[in-house]
Amino acid sequence: MKALLLSGGSGTRLRPITHTSAKQLVPVANKPVLFYGLEAIAEAGITDVGIIVGDTAEEIREAVGDGSAFGLDVTYLPQEAPLGLAHAVLIAREYLGEDDFVMYLGDNFVVGGITDLVEGFRAERPDAQILLTEVPNPTEFGVAELDAAGQVIGLEEKPRHPKSELALVGVYLFSPAVHEAVRAIKPSARGELEITDAIQWLIDAGRDVRSTTISGYWKDTGNVTDMLEVNRSVLETLERRIDGTVDDDSEIIGRVRIEAGAKVTGSRIVGPVVVGANTVVTDSYVGPFTSIAGDCRIEDSEIEYSIVLRDSSVRGVRRVEASLIGRNVEVTPAPRKPAAHRLVLGDHSKVQIAS
């Protein structure tokens, strides 16, 4: 069995971060989202992984390499444009051969991994198996319709009037039967080859398409809100470890990981929090669910429920929260402009002026 990991999207919902960085490499708890997918694939016993890459191919290659760091053998498969998930399967045809495969969206996050799902597929070998989960906003996802027996009878991509609240999670398992399906379908109104149309083709052709509804945690990390929520979820599992230095005037509370080379002075850190290598935190408060990458500086500031990427600084800022701060960013207070109030007041006046 092989894996097809999709890492070619442009990440428009995470701009401006993704103007200069691949969305799959934005870190969660100081580790790129893409790495969690690679680890899940390795844990499921799959070693051959094809990674679909686009405009950010060089950045993905530099981060992942040949896959050996994950116990994987990685092959890169260029996609000239993000023309749909089924298009990714189409261009990977030669690489996939006649093997079963799991298709994993590189910006998705599934708590608990995919090992049980892969083992079940290997044992029963349906033509396709999809993961579903209930969502409050099904119009933003591929949506599945099930009959009374729980069998998949219909799929639709981002429907205006969804027939259920069951969205497709970004993990799919296929037998080689899917290759006939992706060749048979036409581009959608969005100009893409939709994987939902390919799976619908399998259903209409009488193929064995099954679904598993998961109640565990899943997120598409395509926007800042979801990114922060995934970061929160991962930090919930953090174990306390202090490898850096903390002075006697600092207070470290709860599950806090301070990596080697980091230095905390005169500060209060309330976990779960991760502070990256060689980062300096001085006279500051770092609150729960915050990930600060390596080589950052937090000085005379307060920050909470945020992600700070490498080589950035927050200095003299009263409060930062629910924020995603990119690489090489400087956050400082705005200079106070000199201001004067010119008044003409009658007798017995009362005036309040904000200073």
Side-chain angles (χ1 to χ4, degrees):
M1 193 170 191
K2 291 176 179 173
L4 189 63
L5 185 63
L6 274 60
S7 191
S10 56
T12 55
R13 291 178 295 161
L14 272 175
R15 288 177 179 168
I17 298 293
T18 50
H19 278 308
T20 54
S21 177
K23 65 176 180 176
Q24 298 85 4
L25 296 181
V26 176
V28 168
N30 286 4
K31 182 165 65 176
V33 171
L34 184 66
F35 287 12
Y36 291 95
L38 289 167
E39 289 169 355
I41 288 167
E43 288 167 5
I46 299 170
T47 56
D48 294 325
V49 181
I51 301 183
I52 300 289
V53 290
D55 292 342
T56 59
E58 288 308 310
E59 192 177 3
I60 299 294
R61 286 175 185 268
E62 184 177 350
V64 178
D66 62 2
S68 58
F70 305 91
L72 301 171
D73 182 5
V74 166
T75 300
Y76 293 95
L77 305 170
Q79 186 182 33
E80 68 273 15
L83 298 175
L85 304 187
H87 181 260
V89 176
L90 196 65
I91 64 173
R93 178 67 180 93
E94 183 177 349
Y95 171 76
L96 294 169
E98 294 304 311
D99 292 316
D100 295 345
F101 67 97
V102 56
M103 184 167 74
Y104 196 115
L105 274 58
D107 59 352
N108 275 224
F109 188 89
V110 182
V111 169
I114 59 171
T115 300
D116 291 345
L117 182 72
V118 168
E119 289 177 352
F121 185 86
R122 279 173 163 156
E124 300 184 14
R125 293 204 71 238
D127 292 300
Q129 184 153 356
I130 57 177
L131 260 68
L132 305 174
T133 192
E134 287 192 14
V135 296
N137 51 341
T139 56
E140 299 180 11
F141 301 94
V143 174
E145 181 185 3
L146 308 183
D147 62 17
Q151 185 69 30
V152 183
I153 58 173
L155 296 169
E156 194 173 2
E157 187 66 30
K158 296 181 174 64
R160 280 190 175 186
H161 306 288
K163 295 179 181 178
S164 80
E165 296 181 345
L166 293 172
L168 277 76
V169 174
V171 179
Y172 310 78
L173 293 108
F174 294 113
S175 76
V178 73
H179 297 301
E180 184 180 1
V182 298
R183 289 195 304 270
I185 62 173
K186 304 296 182 183
S188 67
R190 301 193 306 161
E192 297 186 5
L193 289 175
E194 310 285 3
I195 198 66
T196 46
D197 289 344
I199 300 170
Q200 184 66 56
W201 188 93
L202 291 172
I203 294 170
D204 295 341
R207 300 286 190 151
D208 185 5
V209 177
R210 303 183 189 180
S211 68
T212 300
T213 301
I214 63 172
S215 56
Y217 189 84
W218 164 78
K219 277 288 183 183
D220 170 3
T221 61
N223 61 53
V224 173
T225 300
D226 287 342
M227 201 82 198
L228 292 172
E229 178 60 18
V230 170
N231 188 63
R232 182 202 62 77
S233 177
V234 175
L235 288 178
E236 289 277 20
T237 67
L238 193 71
E239 294 184 1
R240 182 182 173 99
R241 195 180 79 230
I242 311 295
D243 292 333
T245 61
V246 179
D247 74 348
D248 293 338
D249 294 328
S250 296
E251 186 178 16
I252 308 297
I253 300 172
R255 287 168 290 135
V256 175
R257 187 175 78 213
I258 299 176
E259 297 180 354
K263 185 177 181 180
V264 179
T265 58
S267 298
R268 188 168 188 257
I269 301 180
V270 180
V273 167
V274 57
V275 177
N278 304 314
T279 284
V280 176
V281 180
T282 306
D283 299 328
S284 295
Y285 166 76
V286 181
F289 309 118
T290 302
S291 295
I292 303 171
D295 299 302
C296 292
R297 299 188 73 88
I298 311 295
E299 297 178 3
D300 191 26
S301 299
E302 297 181 6
I303 186 167
E304 184 171 314
Y305 192 62
S306 295
I307 299 172
V308 182
L309 275 59
R310 181 172 293 277
D311 298 312
S312 291
S313 63
V314 180
R315 293 186 172 98
V317 179
R318 182 175 175 184
R319 184 77 173 179
V320 175
E321 63 181 27
S323 299
L324 175 56
I325 298 172
R327 297 175 295 183
N328 295 291
V329 171
E330 294 183 7
V331 182
T332 57
R336 293 191 66 177
K337 294 182 179 179
H341 302 281
R342 187 176 179 214
L343 306 173
V344 178
L345 303 174
D347 296 348
H348 310 296
S349 297
K350 292 182 179 179
V351 179
Q352 293 181 324
I353 296 175
S355 57

